[in-house]
Amino acid sequence: MSTLTCGITYVSGCWGGCAEVDSLTEAVVGEGFLLGCISCKKRAEVPAEAVVDWFFRPQEHGNYSHIFQYDHPTARSLHPDFSGRVEWRGTQDPDIQIGAIFVSNLTANDSGTYRCRFQRTLFLKLYNHQTTIEKVVELQVVVEAQRELTSVVAEILMYVLIVVLQLWLILVLVYCYKKISAEQEAREARTALKTRTKLPDPDEDCDAIKTE
């Protein structure tokens, strides 16, 4: 849900960067869920107005029910099962491009097909052009959220990376220790050699005394 929220936040702040991000499709019982629906205009400079309607069809039934409508600035919940549970999270402007809604306190009965419909009027110079765009979201409400495969793989890779970095650090420490030890031994050997070179030879001293 966070990815979709970020996408919607970005889009709402910049008309030129509008991107039609797909809605997530899995929610958890007792929690809230953001149903995403984005319809970008082909030409941002053309003034327009839109009305967004949401419809719901449960898994057990074949008919759609009209559950919500947003006609700026009026938001209306139109079905008793969703009364007080639907909040508009789309564009706060007549020229709607983001038609997202937030449904709170989800139950298993909220699983089903949600249809979002944009009825947009483009105000052209010569005439007004009307278009209708629909998008569908298949929502599954579960008792416990199922972790996505990408999340599991990312977590495994994170642990593998941690282990590899630790092994690399150990190898670096061992290498540095051996290098420092070798340099220390070489330094001590050179010092001992210099010391032996500077000491006088006792036999030479004795020969010098005899000569005198």
Side-chain angles (χ1 to χ4, degrees):
M1 184 171 64
S2 59
T3 304
L4 177 64
T5 305
C6 293
I8 288 177
T9 302
Y10 170 76
V11 170
S12 61
C14 179
W15 294 115
C18 181
E20 297 188 6
V21 183
D22 292 334
S23 174
L24 298 178
T25 58
E26 184 179 285
V28 180
V29 170
E31 297 184 2
F33 186 79
L34 183 68
L35 284 166
C37 181
I38 302 177
S39 174
C40 301
K41 290 192 307 183
K42 301 299 181 182
R43 298 180 62 181
E45 71 276 7
V46 177
E49 290 183 358
V51 177
V52 176
D53 293 278
W54 278 91
F55 303 86
F56 172 63
R57 183 178 64 188
Q59 291 179 336
E60 299 82 5
H61 306 285
N63 297 324
Y64 279 97
S65 299
H66 196 180
I67 63 172
F68 184 83
Q69 183 183 78
Y70 184 80
D71 186 0
H72 185 79
T74 303
R76 295 190 299 161
S77 183
L78 304 174
H79 195 279
D81 292 346
F82 291 87
S83 179
R85 296 200 297 134
V86 182
E87 179 183 348
W88 177 251
R89 292 289 181 89
T91 306
Q92 300 289 339
D93 187 86
D95 188 2
I96 303 170
Q97 297 192 67
I98 302 170
I101 59 175
F102 185 82
V103 183
S104 60
N105 194 22
L106 289 167
T107 67
N109 294 329
D110 293 325
S111 296
T113 304
Y114 290 81
R115 192 174 80 233
C116 167
R117 183 177 69 194
F118 275 82
Q119 292 181 301
R120 175 176 289 138
T121 302
L122 300 171
F123 300 109
L124 305 176
K125 291 183 178 180
L126 300 179
Y127 64 98
N128 296 336
H129 179 66
Q130 294 184 343
T131 62
T132 300
I133 299 172
E134 293 189 347
K135 296 178 179 292
V136 174
V137 179
E138 296 287 347
L139 180 64
Q140 181 68 33
V141 182
V142 298
V143 176
E144 184 178 356
Q146 300 178 3
R147 298 182 63 186
E148 295 183 356
L149 179 60
T150 54
S151 175
V152 176
V153 172
E155 185 173 348
I156 293 174
L157 290 177
M158 179 186 67
Y159 286 118
V160 171
L161 181 61
I162 291 174
V163 173
V164 171
L165 289 176
Q166 288 178 342
L167 292 176
W168 177 80
L169 180 60
I170 293 173
L171 292 175
V172 170
L173 291 175
V174 171
Y175 171 78
C176 292
Y177 174 78
K178 289 183 176 180
K179 185 176 181 180
I180 293 172
S181 298
E183 291 178 352
Q184 182 67 23
E185 292 176 359
R187 189 180 300 110
E188 292 177 354
R190 288 194 299 271
T191 302
L193 181 61
K194 290 180 180 179
T195 302
R196 287 197 301 270
T197 303
K198 292 180 180 179
L199 289 176
D201 190 349
D203 294 337
E204 292 180 356
D205 293 342
C206 291
D207 293 341
I209 294 173
K210 288 179 181 180
T211 303
E212 292 176 0

